[in-house]
Each structure stands twice: as structure tokens, then as C-alpha cells.
Amino acid sequence: MSNEFKKWLGKTQTTEDEVSLTLVRRAAAMSDMDPLIFQRGSELPPHWYSMFFTPNAPASQIGPDGHPQKGDFLPPIPLPRRMFVGREVNFIRPLLVGDQARKISEIAAITPKQGRSGKLVFVQVKHTIEINGDPSLVELQNIIYREPAIKAATVNENGTELLSMIDPADYAWSEPRTIEPIHLFRYSALTWNGHRIHYDADYARSEEGYPGCVMNGALTVHWLIDEALRHHPDRKLSQLKARLSSPLFMGDSVHLCGSNFRDQGDASVMDVVAVNKDGKVSASVELHFKKTI
């Protein structure tokens, strides 16, 4: 790693936001829930935190890919393609609708690697969300930077090929989905995500080497957790570990699958996966729930 990038380690950024009733109700509608079940003071589903604290960069500071330009908080990695590839989250106390919250973000690690698709740089960002100075959750978010595309769709975001095949029938439950334009639009609007691969098919093909618009990986993770909580509404989520392994695309069919619980220390653990049309895992999330008494 160059000394220039080392300067970014430990860099912090603070963002304030309100867990607004309007946005929460829109998120509920997106998740096919009745928006009116949420009122001020309602507990937020734990994983919905990720739809707040959006990077509100002015229009003049947006890069050609639709993301805020690098070099302010995120380091100026000289690789053009940026993707979210996973997160680990520890939930400490729930967010409530109406909470005035603060997120402190810190550049925790910058790791260059050589993958099958070329040079890669992994950036890990630690996010702590606080209410009145007390932590509500701590997240380690992983971002990858990659070289210009040649055949991006043939290699997953971690630079390795997938080998295993999955049969959704082997899981305790499985729900089919088709990725529709409205899904991507609504999620991008809620999260203020301007990344062009999610709505500009010409850009996705010509600049990033994909066959069409790319499913937002964070939305895939959101779907998986939503589905797990629908199947087990009385369980309390305490931790999650999410990993994206290959992209999904507009129009793709996908199965959201969940395992039975297994005991792990003081938690009950469920594995949920998104299985693509070829029977391969595109995303996986390990969900830790507090054990029921």
C-alpha cells in the first residue's frame, strides 16, 4: 500500500440523520408491508438502519459512475469500479422511528490484492450509529475497487469463481423472486444511490462489462433478512455477517432460502442465501438471533 493510502487509515466522518416516519413508511411499502403499522416511537426492523445516513454529495461532486467522487472521506483508489461486497453488524439497541441519530464512520483497513480479474483494493469502513452518545449498532462494511471491466459478469465481486451448486429444496424454506425495475428504483431512491449500474443499462454494458442493469447487492441482503424475519417474527436479531459473491441482474429469477437454526454459543444461527437461476449462491447472510427462553 502506498503512503498516500496509509494517510486515510483512521480517517473519520460524522453524519447525522433522523429515523423519519416518511422514509420508514416508504421502506415498509417497498417491503410489501402496511406502512401504517409504523408510528413515531415504533421499533425499526434492525437491518433497515442501512437506508439512513446517505451520502448527500452535491451534484458537482458526483463522479461519472454516479457515486460521490473519491478523495473526500473514501480514499482516492485509482481503480474505477466500486462495489459493496459485504458487512458484519452487531446490534446493541433498536432504533426507534423519530430518533435523532449520529453515525461515526472510520476507515479501518485498506488491503490491495491481486485477483483473477486484475488488481483489487478492499476498503473496510467501521460505522457506529449512536443515539444520545450511546451505540445502537456497529457495522464493518467492505467495499472493493476493481480495474476497468473486460468481462465483469463472469467473475464475482471478490475476484473468485463460484463452484458450488445449491438446490433450494434442501433448505427449510425458499421463496422465489424476480428482480423487477421497480425494485431497484425504489431501493435506489430510498438510499439515495446514484450508482449507474443499477438503472443505466448502456453504462453497465459499455463501462462496467455487465450484460445489463445490476441488482443492488445491499437490496439482496435486505430481501434475505426481511424474508428470515417474516418466517420468524418473534426472533430478535443480534448479529449478521453478509457476503456477496456474484452479481444478479435485472429480470433474473432468484430463490431466497433459509436454513433451520443451529446453536452457536448463546445464539441461534440461521444461514440464508440468494440462489441464482444457475443454482449458485449470489449472496449469503449468517443471522444470529438471541436464544428464546
Side-chain angles (χ1 to χ4, degrees):
M1 187 197 314
S2 71
N3 290 329
E4 179 185 7
F5 294 155
K6 287 181 180 179
K7 293 189 302 183
W8 255 260
L9 290 173
K11 185 178 178 66
T12 62
Q13 179 184 68
T14 299
T15 308
E16 295 183 347
D17 204 353
E18 178 184 349
V19 184
S20 73
L21 181 59
T22 296
L23 193 149
V24 169
R25 285 179 171 174
R26 288 175 180 170
M30 181 193 71
S31 297
D32 202 23
M33 299 169 64
D34 179 2
L36 296 181
I37 67 174
F38 291 99
Q39 307 290 333
R40 294 191 183 278
S42 297
E43 188 172 311
L44 195 72
H47 58 301
W48 287 19
Y49 76 92
S50 61
M51 291 184 283
F52 295 89
F53 309 99
T54 58
N56 299 323
S60 60
Q61 296 177 20
I62 297 297
D65 62 355
H67 277 306
Q69 293 176 359
K70 294 173 285 187
D72 181 14
F73 171 62
L74 288 170
I77 305 292
L79 297 173
R81 299 169 58 222
R82 183 180 355 174
M83 297 290 287
F84 159 72
V85 294
R87 58 167 55 113
E88 297 184 18
V89 189
N90 285 299
F91 298 99
I92 300 166
R93 53 141 287 187
L95 292 168
L96 306 180
V97 178
D99 274 344
Q100 301 288 331
R102 180 173 67 170
K103 182 172 77 172
I104 300 95
S105 303
E106 178 185 356
I107 305 297
I110 304 173
T111 309
K113 292 186 177 182
Q114 183 69 36
R116 297 186 184 185
S117 59
K119 293 180 181 178
L120 308 168
V121 177
F122 288 83
V123 176
Q124 186 175 80
V125 184
K126 179 182 179 181
H127 302 291
T128 303
I129 296 178
E130 298 180 347
I131 305 293
N132 297 323
D134 295 323
S136 178
L137 65 90
V138 178
E139 174 193 65
L140 293 177
Q141 182 186 40
N142 297 310
I143 305 165
I144 189 172
Y145 293 87
R146 301 174 62 185
E147 291 186 303
I150 299 176
K151 292 183 179 179
T154 64
V155 179
N156 74 39
E157 283 86 346
N158 294 316
T160 57
E161 294 180 357
L162 293 174
L163 300 176
S164 60
M165 302 290 288
I166 298 293
D167 184 352
D170 292 337
Y171 281 77
W173 53 262
S174 175
E175 300 291 340
R177 290 281 185 94
T178 300
I179 299 168
E180 304 287 355
I182 191 64
H183 296 152
L184 284 175
F185 169 80
R186 281 185 147 190
Y187 188 77
S188 292
L190 279 168
T191 57
W192 202 233
N193 186 334
H195 196 183
R196 290 173 64 181
I197 64 172
H198 302 311
Y199 59 87
D200 186 341
D202 290 339
Y203 173 88
R205 293 187 192 102
S206 63
E207 297 298 325
E208 303 230 12
Y210 294 111
C213 288
V214 183
M215 173 64 163
N216 190 309
L219 177 55
T220 305
V221 171
H222 185 93
W223 276 2
L224 285 167
I225 302 169
D226 266 358
E227 206 59 58
L229 295 180
R230 282 195 184 100
H231 280 79
H232 300 280
D234 297 329
R235 296 276 185 163
K236 293 293 184 181
L237 189 63
S238 59
Q239 185 184 46
L240 68 84
K241 300 177 182 180
R243 179 179 179 270
L244 299 176
S245 42
S246 67
L248 295 164
F249 302 98
M250 189 85 75
D252 277 358
S253 59
V254 60
H255 277 84
L256 310 177
C257 308
S259 71
N260 290 314
F261 287 103
R262 67 178 190 276
D263 288 336
Q264 185 172 311
D266 59 355
S268 297
V269 179
M270 173 189 290
D271 297 306
V272 290
V273 295
V275 180
N276 68 17
K277 60 187 178 182
D278 298 320
K280 296 181 179 180
V281 172
S282 290
S284 58
V285 188
E286 184 180 281
L287 300 174
H288 292 235
F289 294 88
K290 295 179 181 178
K291 283 186 176 178
T292 57
I293 298 175

